[in-house]
Amino acid sequence: MAGDWLGSIVSINCGDTLGMYQGRVSAVDQLSQTISLTQPFHNGVKCLVPEVTFRAGDIVELKILELPVDSRRQTNNQFPENTTGMTTDYINGTAKQRPIETSNAQNIPRRSDARSNDTVGTSPQPCSKSYVDRHSEGVNQPKNFRRRHNSWSSSSRYPNQVTPKKSGPKNGQMKARDDECFGEDLEEIPDTDFDFEGNLALFDKAAVFEEIDTHERKSGGGTGSVPKSRGTPSDRAPTYRHDENILESEPIVYRRIIVPQPGGKEFCTDSGLVVPSISYVLHKKLLSVAEKHGLSVEKRLEMAGICASQMALTLLGGPNRLNPKNVHQRPTVAFLCGPHIKGAQGISCGRHLANHDVDIILFLPNFMKMLEPVTNELNLFCQTEGKQVSNVKDLPDCPVDLVINCLDCHENAFLRDQPWYRAAVEWANQNRAPVLNIDPPVTDQGQGIHAKWSLELGLPLALGEQAGRVYLCDIGIPQKVFREVGITYHSPFGCKFVIPLHSMLE
């Protein structure tokens, strides 16, 4: 009788300690009360040993999953179709038979009906099902068939299975697992690449958009709705950069400074704003009205010195030249100043540059009597490490980094006839260093210093070609002061205090 169960596929529950085992019955010993399974699976994982033997005392429940072929035929002949399957429970060494607990009474499933039972919902335990599927598929499928185990069903069947670590070269078992994991054969991948350009050429984008627009016009003609504009790229809304304003604003007015007495020349800023030049008479009146409202000469000198020093620091190299790691290459700047307000502006600029670790050489001729602003600025400059000389021979023979010219004055044109003035001009032209003019006059400078840059205050004068490139600095004149002298003024400086000006003829 025990031999009838040989070859059956059974599931043995050995409790929480030993777990679940599945396998094919290879031997049943009634005397020693043992049963042996070949090709066993423990908790859904194939055992390393080919055969496992169980004692009756260790078995809590035994379920027959599949009978051998001969026993199944005999069972089908002896029992009717609706007979409920039996299971054997081993409790304390005593074998008892009871019906299998299922929702509907059915026969023991055949090997060919294993998958149909899954669909109906009467499949056995997950661990038992895994063994039946693996065994039946391995028997019935051809040799070159390969299952894919990267789906949910594969990962959920074996929760306790751990992927072995790869150490050393792959053996046959590892290669088989890789083949199962990574899917189909490489021979099935097509050799030719997909032709994206050819496929895209088949799509007529303009024709499709035209058809859509036609359909929308026909469908929305009676409703008064405006169809969406798709069309060609030229008909679309313009694109904007990250620094452009996308909000619609009022039209830009580029001529926002209007003067009653034009100076005969116009400039424009980098943003396109028009800055007209003014005559020296209007410029002098503007400074006089500003001084009456509180913008004293000392404040104007300080603002002019700061703006000129900022421009000079930029011309000298800025942070690339003036940094703690480059102290051995401190720039040298020579100032040529006269005994007037223009010279005081240069002395103020030299003081600020000296405070920024720039070597300053200040040339100022000796006069018995000088203006009070010049004396005050000179006293402040003497508190710095700058060097003051009164003779042109004391100026350096080697080229300096920058020459700042403040020799000329609007009123005192007779200074050009002085020997010290001619000597200073000759030294500047022979030094071959770039020259920056601060508030130069409009008078003809054919015999003067050839400058590369010129810095104007407030509003520019109509300077000649010898003045070089013109810059404009803000010295803090209020807008109502411009209005009082008849100038319609809107600041062109934006976020800066010194801006370049371009001639409108360029």
Side-chain angles (χ1 to χ4, degrees), residues 60-326:
V60 177
E61 182 181 14
L62 188 146
K63 291 183 181 181
I64 301 174
L65 304 180
E66 183 177 343
L67 292 174
V69 179
D70 296 339
S71 299
R72 187 165 60 239
R73 291 175 181 175
Q74 295 178 5
T75 304
N76 292 338
N77 294 333
Q78 294 175 3
F79 299 99
E81 289 287 350
N82 57 355
T83 302
T84 305
M86 304 299 290
T87 181
T88 305
D89 296 343
Y90 288 86
I91 303 175
N92 297 328
T94 303
K96 296 181 180 180
Q97 290 187 351
R98 62 178 179 83
I100 297 177
E101 297 177 0
T102 57
S103 58
N104 297 321
Q106 296 182 0
N107 295 332
I108 297 176
R110 297 182 178 87
R111 185 175 302 180
S112 60
D113 299 336
R115 297 201 174 198
S116 62
N117 290 338
D118 295 344
T119 307
V120 175
T122 58
S123 60
Q125 298 294 331
C127 56
S128 304
K129 177 179 179 295
S130 64
Y131 178 81
V132 174
D133 290 347
R134 290 165 62 91
H135 180 74
S136 61
E137 291 177 2
V139 174
N140 299 332
Q141 300 295 344
K143 293 182 179 181
N144 58 355
F145 177 80
R146 179 171 65 250
R147 292 188 62 216
R148 299 189 66 170
H149 291 274
N150 56 350
S151 61
W152 173 86
S153 60
S154 172
S155 60
S156 61
R157 287 179 181 176
Y158 316 111
N160 299 328
Q161 187 173 359
V162 180
T163 304
K165 295 182 178 179
K166 296 182 180 180
S167 58
K170 295 183 179 180
N171 51 20
Q173 183 179 4
M174 297 289 290
K175 187 176 185 303
R177 292 183 180 181
D178 290 344
D179 293 340
E180 291 180 355
C181 177
F182 294 108
E184 304 297 334
D185 294 332
L186 295 178
E187 289 78 4
E188 300 180 6
I189 299 177
D191 296 334
T192 58
D193 295 335
F194 182 75
D195 187 5
F196 288 95
E197 295 182 359
N199 192 330
L200 185 60
L202 299 178
F203 176 66
D204 191 352
K205 187 175 180 180
V208 172
F209 282 159
E210 181 66 24
E211 182 179 356
I212 295 175
D213 293 338
T214 304
H215 176 72
E216 290 182 352
R217 284 194 295 268
K218 291 181 178 179
S219 60
T223 59
S225 60
V226 180
K228 298 180 180 179
S229 176
R230 290 186 181 90
T232 59
S234 60
D235 298 335
R236 298 177 184 174
T239 57
Y240 298 92
R241 299 194 310 268
H242 65 282
D243 58 343
E244 290 184 330
N245 185 14
I246 64 174
L247 300 178
E248 295 184 1
S249 59
E250 298 179 357
I252 302 175
V253 179
Y254 291 100
R255 190 176 294 274
R256 294 187 291 184
I257 301 177
I258 302 176
V259 296
Q261 301 174 7
K265 196 172 184 179
E266 287 187 340
F267 302 89
C268 66
T269 64
D270 291 337
S271 58
L273 297 178
V274 178
V275 180
S277 63
I278 59 177
S279 63
Y280 173 70
V281 176
L282 184 59
H283 185 269
K284 185 177 179 180
K285 182 180 178 180
L286 178 64
L287 297 180
S288 177
V289 175
E291 186 175 354
K292 184 182 66 174
H293 285 281
L295 186 63
S296 61
V297 177
E298 291 77 11
K299 292 182 179 180
R300 192 170 75 244
L301 290 177
E302 190 70 15
M303 284 298 301
I306 292 176
C307 293
S309 61
Q310 288 181 349
M311 181 177 177
L313 290 174
T314 303
L315 297 177
L316 292 173
N320 298 326
R321 184 76 179 275
L322 299 168
N323 59 72
K325 298 181 180 180
N326 199 21

Side-chain angles (χ1 to χ4, degrees), residues 11 49 59 124 135 177 180 221 243 253 322 370 436 450 464 467 474 481:
S11 174
V49 295
I59 301 175
H135 180 74
R177 292 183 180 181
E180 291 180 355
D243 58 343
V253 179
L322 299 168
M370 290 188 294
L436 169 64
H450 298 273
D474 184 11
V481 175

Side-chain angles (χ1 to χ4, degrees), residues 333-378:
V333 179
F335 281 83
L336 304 179
C337 300
H340 39 66
I341 299 297
K342 307 300 181 182
Q345 294 174 352
I347 298 174
S348 175
C349 177
R351 171 168 55 89
H352 290 293
L353 289 180
N355 292 334
H356 287 265
D357 294 333
V358 179
D359 292 335
I360 303 300
I361 301 176
L362 174 63
F363 169 76
L364 181 65
N366 289 328
F367 282 87
M368 296 298 296
K369 185 178 181 180
M370 290 188 294
L371 298 177
E372 183 179 358
V374 179
T375 304
N376 295 336
E377 291 295 334
L378 187 60

